[in-house]
Amino acid sequence: LRRRKLCLILPVVSDLALLGFFKYANFTLASIAGLSEALHWPIHVAKLDIVLPIGISFYTFHTITYIVDSYRGVITPTRNFFEFSCYVSLFSQLVAGPIVRFREIEKDLEQIGQHDRKTMLGRGWSFFTLGMIKKVLVADSIAAIINPALLHWNQVSTSGAWLSMLGYTYQLYFDFSGYSDMAVGLGLMFGLRLPQNFNSPYKAVDPSDFWRRWHISLSSVLRDYLYIPLGGSRKGELGTYRNLMITMLLGGLWHGANWTFVIWGGYHGILLSLSRAGSAKLERIPRWLRAGVTFVLVVVGWVLFRAESVAMASGLLHRLFLPTAGSLPIGWPLLTVVVFIAAVLAHIGPNTFEISHEWGTAATVCLVLLFVACLGVIYGGQESPFLYFQF
Amino acid sequence: MAARNRLFSIFNSDFHGYALTDWREYMRFLELRILAPTVIAMTCLTDVSLRFALTPERIAFRAWEAAAVNSTAAGPFTPNVTYLNVRSYGDLSNLGNLPSLRAYRREYFTTDAQGFRNTPAAPNRSVKFVVVGDSFTVGAGLSDADTLSGQLAAMSQSGALNLGNYRNWPDIEKLIRARHVDRGVVVWQVSERSEPLEGGEMPFGMRILKSLLPNGVYSALRTGARYSMYSPLKIVLSRMFRKVQNDEWLPNVAAGSVIRKRLPNGQEMIFLHSEVNNFGRNRGASPEFFVQLQTAVRATNNELLVVMVPDKYNVYYPLLPGSSSPPAEESTTLGMLARNLRANGVLAVDFTPVFRQAAAEALRNNQYIYWTDDTHWNPAGVRIAAREILKVLPQSSFPPGSPGSGSGGN
């Protein structure tokens, strides 16, 4: 039994140590230096020159869930090295998810090559095309306008700040869910059914509903491998709130080594706790109002998520809620149009897992044209070396 | 047969039936799983074929890129090129996507059989100047006659060879010997912005490849590598994008890589971001390279002259409204290197003080010595440089009569 425990703890600890070193070493060092300065006892801390390995956050989670699931007996560890390495480093989702549990694709991996090629290819390309349209045409066009504006965040007006932050809200969703759709599409082309990562999150009616819809693969991993082992909701009211806070703070930190992410995690932890405490009363409020309030709370959270520093976060929040003069982002008319389209799609439209992916002629032609536009944007959007070939 | 039947069917009564069956047959391909990969394949195909169909000189905005893509191992540019662009403009107005600040000019660019920027007429005179250096020596943005070698040749009534954008000494030595350059001057131009100052050697991997592979294979590889970077489809599409990124419809993201400043006369000038950032930073260049180079140059019975071209921002800094006094000449990278070289017996001149003075004088007449939209000097700037070069050369190292005639001698 002790050996079994050792086989669990040793690899999980080494996995986390690797992730911790690559992702958080400099953050920890900088925080120690900052703290020491604040205490008027400055220590000189060296900055390490670390290059973050591609996809480390994701394959760390993959191996951890694999080890824990093997320990729990949920899965039988595979004897096939190809299956294991394919699971850990599947290229389509290596960089940004979704986080896949082994049991979710175990069957597909075993039966690879035996799927119905035509149907899977059809669905795969449909997912891929839709994902690319979401990412390139919606998310990237918003980014092209709001990034330069947020570079000078202390000059935007209140309406400019709202427009930018709404833009960012949809950018994040269309970017990430578009990316996930592309990963799912690529998986389908190989016969692998990757899990759904987003389920129309902006239709959520309360914070916990939001987390059941947003980055589902991450929140379910956090739930199964952190929240529940901590005791989940079985440790009394206070214990539950504590577990929620720990889970959300660590979940925030997972997104990146910056205090803004920790604060963002904490903010959502508080929202989850509050909505849990008042759930009975909240039920009586009309659904549309709950959805609206949840959405605004989420947008406020994205301010913390987007800000590069705590100062930027507080500055932006100030501009959002206290009328301030300033400028609108350059290109705001186009931004308004794109945000409107994105809002309709996100709040009213179905998501990629709710549609049949069987397209008629007209729809196919439209999608192909949009796909061509995507390629044009990808091609033309980046600086060509010829423009500045050689000095 | 089938095709003929189909053709006749147009006149038959069952025309509609035929047309419908055909249409349905094609409908089978109207599926994303077929069309989407086809679109990707077509894009790749278009990209590759345009690389051959649209030659660089047809879409380049200036000579440099037009002539650089097809260079061989023997020289920096395509051999035997004559390129004329009557609406060429500056690297900075291009880099910052600022069409309103373009200073259009005529650019006439000729290369010799090896791909150096020399006109066919030049070799007839006996060569007394061999100019080596970077884009300043080549004369980016200038016509042939306005380049440093062109103006040196005109002023000194002798031949001048432009070996710009090529700094491999063994090859240069071979050229000097092949052209029988004797008792002449090798003008080695360095720019403040190059890192390291002497211009840097060919990357290690490239040098190995060049020494190992036969010349033809190496050239072909180089051309291949250049063409892998040259994508007309990308260029055309990104130009369309940049048109829309005009700070009205969409923000101009490229503008961040340059800095715009206004001179006292109201003229806007564009500077390279890094030049502004590096201003006043002393990089402490070592004279060692040039001391060794001098020995090598003297072995060919010629003299070495190192000339230093300051950054545009360095030249115009004192003229910009609100700027504090610039750091003392002796403490700057170029000033210190020049002093060190002279102490080691190497002829060297830093153009910074002369250029600053000339820039101030020219500004009084609303004229400039660097292009307003480019990092490089303009014909007026080159003229000052050529005059300075002739001024500092000792009479003894040079055939009497020729060099000092324009400058009045010592």
Side-chain angles (χ1 to χ4, degrees):
Chain A
L1 194 73
R2 195 173 280 172
R3 246 188 77 196
R4 256 175 69 81
K5 266 237 152 95
L6 201 68
C7 284
L8 168 74
I9 293 167
L10 211 65
V12 169
V13 167
S14 60
D15 258 345
L16 287 176
L18 276 175
L19 180 69
F21 172 72
F22 280 111
K23 220 169 151 181
Y24 303 104
N26 274 330
F27 171 67
T28 316
L29 289 177
S31 297
I32 290 173
L35 187 71
S36 67
E37 244 167 67
L39 296 173
H40 301 288
W41 200 347
I43 324 171
H44 178 72
V45 186
K47 196 173 172 347
L48 299 173
D49 213 354
I50 301 173
V51 179
L52 197 65
I54 288 178
I56 188 165
S57 310
F58 290 92
Y59 52 72
T60 306
F61 268 38
H62 273 194
T63 46
I64 289 177
T65 56
Y66 183 85
I67 294 158
V68 176
D69 282 357
S70 308
Y71 174 79
R72 288 178 177 167
V74 180
I75 56 162
T76 322
T78 174
R79 300 276 166 221
N80 185 337
F81 181 71
F82 161 77
E83 270 181 33
F84 177 74
S85 46
C86 185
Y87 163 65
V88 172
S89 57
L90 192 62
F91 82 94
S92 71
Q93 50 80 41
L94 184 65
V95 191
I99 300 163
V100 186
R101 243 70 83 69
F102 186 65
R103 61 167 177 265
E104 289 172 319
I105 58 163
E106 194 179 6
K107 266 223 173 65
D108 287 343
L109 278 173
E110 272 167 18
Q111 294 166 358
I112 199 136
Q114 293 166 28
H115 57 275
D116 172 11
R117 244 222 176 96
K118 201 176 148 188
T119 325
M120 289 293 240
L121 272 180
R123 275 181 77 79
W125 277 106
S126 174
F127 261 103
F128 186 82
T129 309
L130 289 174
M132 187 135 123
I133 292 166
K134 283 162 79 174
K135 157 92 182 99
V136 175
L137 294 188
V138 182
D140 289 357
S141 346
I142 295 176
I145 298 173
I146 64 166
N147 283 346
L150 289 175
L151 212 58
H152 308 285
W153 55 269
N154 49 4
Q155 287 163 26
V156 292
S157 63
T158 294
S159 49
W162 273 107
L163 194 55
S164 300
M165 281 324 297
L166 278 178
Y168 182 66
T169 303
Y170 295 115
Q171 181 207 335
L172 204 57
Y173 170 56
F174 280 85
D175 190 278
F176 199 177
S177 73
Y179 180 88
S180 297
D181 287 342
M182 288 167 79
V184 168
L186 284 171
L188 284 172
M189 291 177 206
F190 293 101
L192 302 172
R193 279 163 296 186
L194 302 183
Q196 180 177 10
N197 214 11
F198 290 87
N199 184 16
S200 306
Y202 295 149
K203 291 179 187 167
V205 288
D206 58 56
S208 63
D209 189 24
F210 174 76
W211 282 106
R212 280 193 296 274
R213 293 162 173 271
W214 178 271
H215 203 173
I216 299 165
S217 63
L218 174 72
S219 42
S220 63
V221 161
L222 287 176
R223 184 194 62 212
D224 294 349
Y225 301 88
L226 189 61
Y227 178 71
I228 291 178
L230 280 172
S233 52
R234 289 161 297 152
K235 293 274 164 94
E237 277 299 291
L238 275 177
T240 307
Y241 297 141
R242 185 203 61 195
N243 294 341
L244 275 175
M245 285 308 289
I246 294 175
T247 308
M248 293 317 286
L249 283 170
L250 286 175
L253 190 61
W254 179 83
H255 282 85
N258 196 329
W259 283 108
T260 50
F261 289 120
V262 181
I263 299 172
W264 170 75
Y267 169 78
H268 271 283
I270 293 169
L271 288 186
L272 283 171
S273 305
L274 286 178
S275 76
R276 191 186 161 81
S279 59
K281 279 181 195 162
L282 290 174
E283 289 288 315
R284 272 176 264 148
I285 300 171
R287 205 180 154 80
W288 63 267
L289 188 61
R290 275 189 288 155
V293 172
T294 307
F295 178 70
V296 172
L297 290 172
V298 166
V299 174
V300 171
W302 291 143
V303 176
L304 303 165
F305 196 83
R306 173 62 174 80
E308 279 131 36
S309 60
V310 179
M312 179 174 170
S314 62
L316 269 175
L317 286 173
H318 176 97
R319 280 165 186 274
L320 282 174
F321 292 105
L322 299 172
T324 317
S327 56
L328 281 168
I330 294 169
W332 65 267
L334 184 66
L335 179 61
T336 314
V337 173
V338 181
V339 162
F340 178 76
I341 295 170
V344 170
L345 290 172
H347 296 283
I348 301 168
N351 64 53
T352 37
F353 280 80
E354 291 168 343
I355 52 179
S356 69
H357 294 277
E358 277 155 23
W359 304 103
T361 311
T364 306
V365 171
C366 281
L367 283 175
V368 168
L369 289 178
L370 290 172
F371 190 66
V372 172
C374 285
L375 291 182
V377 173
I378 292 173
Y379 246 79
Q382 45 177 245
E383 198 81 346
S384 152
F386 197 70
L387 292 168
Y388 218 60
F389 203 46
Q390 228 178 4
F391 230 82
Chain B
M1 263 321 262
R4 191 190 281 174
N5 277 345
R6 217 170 290 163
L7 186 70
F8 280 122
S9 72
I10 296 173
F11 307 102
N12 288 349
S13 51
D14 59 329
F15 159 63
H16 292 289
Y18 252 104
L20 268 179
T21 354
D22 272 358
W23 180 234
R24 273 192 206 130
E25 232 167 76
Y26 291 124
M27 289 267 284
R28 284 195 304 128
F29 300 105
L30 262 176
E31 274 184 53
L32 273 180
R33 76 188 159 91
I34 292 163
L35 288 177
T38 311
V39 164
I40 296 177
M42 294 290 280
T43 312
C44 293
L45 206 70
T46 316
D47 184 349
V48 172
S49 47
L50 276 181
R51 282 170 203 242
F52 296 99
L54 254 181
T55 49
E57 59 268 21
R58 288 178 63 186
I59 57 170
F61 71 96
R62 59 170 182 169
W64 189 281
E65 280 81 7
V69 174
N70 278 325
S71 66
T72 63
F77 299 104
T78 317
N80 298 318
V81 156
T82 42
Y83 171 90
L84 172 66
N85 185 344
V86 288
R87 274 171 75 80
S88 165
Y89 52 89
D91 53 10
L92 290 173
S93 52
N94 177 60
L95 183 67
N97 188 21
L98 299 164
S100 60
L101 295 183
R102 285 178 193 167
Y104 290 109
R105 48 194 174 255
R106 201 181 122 94
E107 198 181 5
Y108 193 73
F109 192 103
T110 317
T111 62
D112 60 21
Q114 277 172 292
F116 290 103
R117 190 178 184 182
N118 290 298
T119 46
N124 298 336
R125 286 189 191 149
S126 89
V127 174
K128 284 297 165 198
F129 289 98
V130 175
V131 193
V132 184
D134 55 24
S135 51
F136 280 92
T137 294
V138 173
L142 300 170
S143 276
D144 292 335
D146 294 327
T147 60
L148 185 56
S149 60
Q151 299 213 35
L152 274 174
M155 281 184 195
S156 68
Q157 302 289 310
S158 60
L161 207 56
N162 185 341
L163 299 188
N165 201 25
Y166 196 86
R167 272 167 293 198
N168 185 17
W169 171 253
D171 289 347
I172 292 170
E173 187 182 356
K174 266 181 232 156
L175 278 168
I176 288 177
R177 293 196 192 276
R179 301 294 288 267
H180 307 293
V181 186
D182 186 48
R183 292 206 296 153
V185 183
V186 174
V187 178
W188 198 281
Q189 172 261 319
V190 300
S191 299
E192 187 178 0
R193 66 162 180 248
S194 26
E195 191 86 55
L197 273 185
E198 55 261 29
E201 286 188 52
M202 212 188 273
F204 183 70
M206 292 266 283
R207 249 185 305 160
I208 299 275
L209 275 184
K210 194 179 177 183
S211 60
L212 288 179
L213 296 173
N215 243 347
V217 178
Y218 175 78
S219 285
L221 266 182
R222 247 172 69 108
T223 314
R226 288 265 162 96
Y227 265 92
S228 72
M229 287 197 279
Y230 167 68
S231 162
L233 183 63
K234 226 176 198 178
I235 294 164
V236 170
L237 283 172
S238 60
R239 277 195 189 152
M240 281 161 57
F241 260 84
R242 285 157 67 96
K243 280 235 157 71
V244 191
Q245 293 173 336
N246 54 1
D247 262 345
E248 260 175 57
W249 297 349
L250 282 178
N252 179 9
V253 277
S257 37
V258 299
I259 289 181
R260 298 161 71 163
K261 300 255 181 194
R262 209 172 274 282
L263 293 169
N265 65 347
Q267 169 71 40
E268 257 201 277
M269 216 175 215
I270 326 177
F271 297 96
L272 193 64
H273 213 290
S274 59
E275 282 188 9
V276 178
N277 286 346
N278 290 342
F279 178 66
R281 188 167 67 95
N282 189 342
R283 285 148 55 191
S286 142
E288 202 177 322
F289 170 84
F290 298 103
V291 174
Q292 283 173 12
L293 184 67
Q294 187 192 41
T295 317
V297 171
R298 281 185 174 166
T300 66
N301 201 27
N302 288 290
E303 186 55 81
L304 172 72
L305 167 67
V306 182
V307 298
M308 296 166 207
V309 183
D311 285 348
K312 181 162 97 171
Y313 190 69
N314 190 352
V315 172
Y316 278 90
Y317 175 81
L319 299 173
L320 295 173
S323 50
S324 53
S325 64
E329 184 59 28
E330 308 83 57
S331 69
T332 61
T333 314
L334 294 187
M336 224 165 95
L337 179 63
R339 208 159 39 118
N340 269 337
L341 287 177
R342 284 194 289 263
N344 280 289
V346 179
L347 279 177
V349 54
D350 167 16
F351 291 139
T352 314
V354 175
F355 273 14
R356 278 192 182 154
Q357 199 185 339
E361 278 165 24
L363 186 63
R364 274 178 228 134
N365 305 318
N366 291 326
Q367 284 172 345
Y368 313 94
I369 65 167
Y370 280 62
W371 297 112
T372 51
D373 69 338
D374 199 298
T375 49
H376 297 99
W377 49 19
N378 68 9
V382 181
R383 195 173 314 123
I384 299 159
R387 217 182 286 147
E388 278 304 297
I389 288 171
L390 296 176
K391 228 190 259 176
V392 295
L393 287 179
Q395 299 287 336
S396 56
S397 73
F398 217 68
S402 28
S405 52
S407 62
N410 298 337

